[in-house]
Amino acid sequence: MTSLVVDEQLLDFLRSKSRDNPVCEVIVNEIETPKDRYRRKDKKHFAGQVNFLGFSQDAPHFISYLTEERLERLSLADRSPWEPDLRMQGKPGKVIRKLFTTEGLKQFRDKDVEQFANLFKSFCDAQSEKYDFELVEGREIVYHYHEDSYSTQFGAVGTLWGSCMRHDRCRFYLDLYEDNVGVVSLLVLFDEDKAVLGRALVWWDVHFKNEIRTVMDRIYTVRDSDVEAFKDYARKQGWVHKAEQNCSSKNTFIDQGEKVYATAVVQLDYSAYDEYPYMDTFTYMDGDNLWNDSAYGSVALESTHGGYEEDTVYDDYNGRTIDRDDAVYCELGDGECHCDDAVYLYYREVSAFPNLCVYSGIEGRDLAREDAVELADGDYAHRENTIYSNVTYDDYHLDQVVWSDYHDDYIPKDEAIELENGEYVHENDEQEALDYYGLNEEDETEDLCKAA
């Protein structure tokens, strides 16, 4: 098998994230210590189907690569493998599944590959300086909590648009954030129109493992990949951040790349209110103190309606009790789920756990993962609306393909060329198709006449 080759920019990314993600770690080991594969007993983990990996220059968030067949064609033509015209590109997760064998993929969990994709997307955006972060406090926190300030650039999706504190009524619950300037701020990620793509509370002067630290709370975003950008921001600032972006893991944090467990407390300047916000992490209040451990608090701030006395049910998805008014029964998942997290599938007319769903951009709707097919461009579509092309070895939405008699198969429209005779062929096979249909004969006759 040819040694694995990646460009320098991609190698920089892999090295920087090898401590955070096992996929990155394994690839870096393969590149930097390939001979150790035999000691590591993973010499059969790389499939050899793709090589010469790099950042796509044409499609943000995609990896470009060469297949064995295209690499051979370039070699025969004595051309560089980094020339763009024959390079292919794919979604990070899909390229990883092509890079490793079935046996090799067993060393990773599905969430490892998903995290790799999100880390990659976040790194791409950071390199292109697309991130616009701002810390706000006081009344600005209340403003940026409201859904009217949210970005719709990628749709009303993600955990941000699922937040139960985004509504009009909730602004009356947020006085605690507004009044405690210097105790709590809000880190906001904006799009180019200054609409909110993500937010996370930042608590200052937290008593954390016998130190005074800054702690970033749960991250809410429109896009999953932007969660990694928040984590990178916290790491660069030297902050601690919440390890799991949910309301159940209250005592698990990341401190400079290391997972730590801690009981932490925030002391408020003002704490006496008639109504309170729902608290993801510092949930338990005792006087002026907010704790992340129920053993230290006399009141649990877990109501989405401003109070703290409530009828509760068990949230099977998050593994904790929640207000019954906030619970949704999910047929797909067979359990109760918080309304912030539950996904309603209109085409099935059922609710579902979010980890069992994907969003289809081309169809503009959420889909059950079991009904969805990942397309060549990284989007998803319902399997009834997709077609597999044996020409490109990828799946496409029916609106993305055209029939080719030459290939006797469907090919993607954006890679198709219409010949003079009305036939469609893949752009990489244009010359062969012209010869096949005899469309080069006139040019050849002209060349012979000129030669004579």
Side-chain angles (χ1 to χ4, degrees), residues 79-121:
R79 296 174 60 185
S80 166
W82 301 109
E83 293 184 34
D85 53 341
L86 282 180
R87 291 185 65 79
M88 303 177 74
Q89 55 195 16
K91 186 180 177 183
K94 180 167 282 191
V95 175
I96 291 302
R97 290 184 170 88
K98 290 180 179 180
L99 179 64
F100 289 92
T101 62
T102 302
E103 184 66 26
L105 286 171
K106 289 180 181 178
Q107 65 191 310
F108 309 123
R109 299 167 296 176
D110 287 344
K111 65 184 297 185
D112 294 330
V113 178
E114 182 179 353
Q115 183 198 31
F116 173 87
N118 286 333
L119 287 168
F120 182 85
K121 293 174 185 176

Side-chain angles (χ1 to χ4, degrees), residues 154 358-367 372-387 395-401 413-414:
F154 304 99
V358 294
Y359 183 75
S360 169
I362 194 168
E363 296 181 4
R365 59 176 178 168
D366 291 297
L367 300 171
V373 173
E374 186 176 8
L375 307 178
D377 61 4
D379 199 0
Y380 292 90
H382 195 287
R383 61 180 67 257
E384 293 179 354
N385 300 325
T386 65
I387 194 77
D395 292 286
Y396 300 90
H397 191 273
L398 292 173
D399 292 341
Q400 296 175 319
V401 295
K413 288 180 180 178
D414 59 2

Side-chain angles (χ1 to χ4, degrees), residues 4-15 27-28 31-32 51-57 62-65 81-82 87 120 123 127:
L4 180 62
V5 181
V6 303
D7 69 15
E8 282 299 319
Q9 187 183 17
L10 182 57
L11 184 56
D12 286 344
F13 158 72
L14 293 168
R15 285 172 175 157
I27 297 175
V28 169
I31 294 169
E32 297 188 337
N51 206 339
F52 288 88
L53 277 59
F55 281 78
S56 172
Q57 302 303 312
F62 277 61
I63 294 177
S64 71
Y65 61 90
W82 301 109
R87 291 185 65 79
F120 182 85
F123 187 86
Q127 292 294 103

Side-chain angles (χ1 to χ4, degrees), residues 123-131:
F123 187 86
C124 290
D125 287 342
Q127 292 294 103
S128 59
E129 300 181 347
K130 288 185 177 180
Y131 287 124

Side-chain angles (χ1 to χ4, degrees), residues 339-353:
C339 61
D340 277 2
D341 298 313
V343 176
Y344 188 74
L345 302 174
Y346 288 91
Y347 72 102
R348 280 196 180 190
E349 297 185 344
V350 299
S351 293
F353 287 174

Side-chain angles (χ1 to χ4, degrees), residues 144-152 160-161 166 195-196 199:
H144 290 102
Y145 251 75
H146 196 278
E147 63 185 357
D148 286 350
S149 69
Y150 291 179
S151 173
T152 57
L160 182 67
W161 277 98
R166 74 183 190 277
V196 178
R199 58 170 168 80

